[in-house]
Amino acid sequence: SEGECITKIDGRSTAYMELDEAILRLLGQDGTGISISVLREEGETPITLSRKTSAYEVVFTDVPAEGIGFIEIFEFSQNSAEQLEKAISQLKKEDITKLIIDLRGTNGGFMSQAIEAADFFLTGGVIACSEGKEKNEWTADKKQSFEGEIIILIDGETAGAAEIFTAALANRAETIGEKTAGKVPVFSYVQLPNSGNGLKIVSGYYTTPDGNTIEGKGIAPDYLRSGSGDSLENDAQLQAALELLQTEA
């Protein structure tokens, strides 16, 4: 409730803990327990909770042309990587050899899910990096789930985790659309003394695998196209992606 602050997660202090790390520590398999400490007016109170996941669909698929699959990721939420893996598996059963991934309007979400999702399309190398209070690097595990050609659709509302995913596939996929938002901050929570409140601060920024800045600059598409639509027939960006995949050998 208001004025309360989580100070520990499974015995680990949340002071200066990055937001993504705190969320990952709180999340887990249904039915498993977790202990947290909450700072209240009367002092620090230990609480034991049981996890329960509220799952909803954030990945949708279609087959707009023979051999070409379409995947739209609405957000990189808790289960999006798992949903994406299932979507890839299903499309491969339908003999899909090329893929369009729609990230237009996709913003926010968990960076960890974007990194896990990108891993499905890579055979190795760096997926993402972060610069700031701490430097981190994430690498692919070489368990590629899809080997075919990929086009990613992006626009000015593609932000955060979706930009990390797009940057990770820069040497693997082509992009069509408009420049992305350029918003990839690393958040940390700092516990304020005496009040017990927490302050969400920007402690760094995520970068491309080769260390280039995304924050404030965005990612420019390989093919600049405007004009998304509400159906296949009047979606100029999706049509451009289909035409490109159909003309490539």
Side-chain angles (χ1 to χ4, degrees):
S1 61
E2 186 175 353
E4 297 181 352
C5 177
I6 297 176
T7 56
K8 292 179 182 177
I9 302 173
D10 279 338
R12 179 166 179 171
S13 172
T14 58
Y16 298 102
M17 183 181 289
E18 290 185 2
L19 179 59
D20 260 16
E21 180 184 353
I23 292 171
L24 283 174
R25 289 182 178 278
L26 289 169
L27 298 175
Q29 191 173 12
D30 275 8
T32 58
I34 182 171
S35 62
I36 63 173
S37 295
V38 178
L39 187 61
R40 294 169 172 164
E41 289 184 3
E42 62 270 23
E44 196 172 68
T45 304
I47 300 174
T48 300
L49 303 170
S50 179
R51 294 181 173 94
K52 184 177 180 180
T53 302
S54 177
Y56 55 96
E57 295 298 317
V58 295
V59 176
F60 294 85
T61 63
D62 196 1
V63 181
E66 184 178 354
I68 299 176
F70 174 84
I71 294 179
E72 184 171 8
I73 304 174
F74 282 92
E75 63 177 50
F76 286 95
S77 58
Q78 180 182 348
N79 299 305
S80 56
E82 179 183 348
Q83 291 182 31
L84 176 61
E85 186 172 30
K86 290 179 179 178
I88 294 169
S89 178
Q90 182 58 43
L91 288 173
K92 287 171 71 175
K93 290 178 182 178
E94 298 180 37
D95 297 323
I96 296 301
T97 58
K98 301 179 181 182
L99 195 59
I100 298 170
I101 301 175
D102 191 352
L103 297 181
R104 294 173 295 181
T106 307
N107 52 65
F110 300 144
M111 296 296 180
S112 57
Q113 287 292 299
I115 290 168
E116 184 178 347
D119 205 356
F120 298 145
F121 303 99
L122 302 171
T123 57
V126 177
I127 296 177
C129 304
S130 68
E131 300 283 344
K133 180 176 174 290
E134 294 183 0
K135 292 186 177 182
N136 292 293
E137 183 178 281
W138 294 265
T139 56
D141 66 7
K142 300 182 181 180
K143 295 180 180 178
Q144 188 180 35
S145 297
F146 186 82
E147 301 176 359
E149 296 175 59
I150 304 168
I151 289 180
I152 302 174
L153 303 180
I154 55 176
D155 65 9
E157 295 182 12
T158 303
E163 290 183 279
I164 295 303
F165 179 92
T166 303
L169 271 63
N171 295 323
R172 173 75 174 84
E174 294 181 292
T175 52
I176 291 178
E178 300 166 300
K179 182 184 286 189
T180 63
K183 297 178 181 178
V184 288
V186 175
F187 288 114
S188 296
Y189 270 118
V190 177
Q191 183 182 326
L192 300 177
N194 303 321
S195 69
N197 292 323
L199 181 65
K200 182 180 177 181
I201 64 171
V202 175
S203 57
Y205 296 96
Y206 291 91
T207 70
T208 66
D210 51 7
N212 290 330
T213 301
I214 301 173
E215 183 69 25
K217 294 184 176 180
I219 299 171
D222 296 311
Y223 300 92
L224 182 62
R225 294 286 190 282
S226 59
S228 61
D230 56 7
S231 68
L232 174 61
E233 291 73 21
N234 62 14
D235 189 333
Q237 293 165 338
L238 178 54
Q239 286 292 340
L242 285 170
E243 289 172 10
L244 185 61
L245 289 176
Q246 288 170 332
T247 55
E248 291 180 347

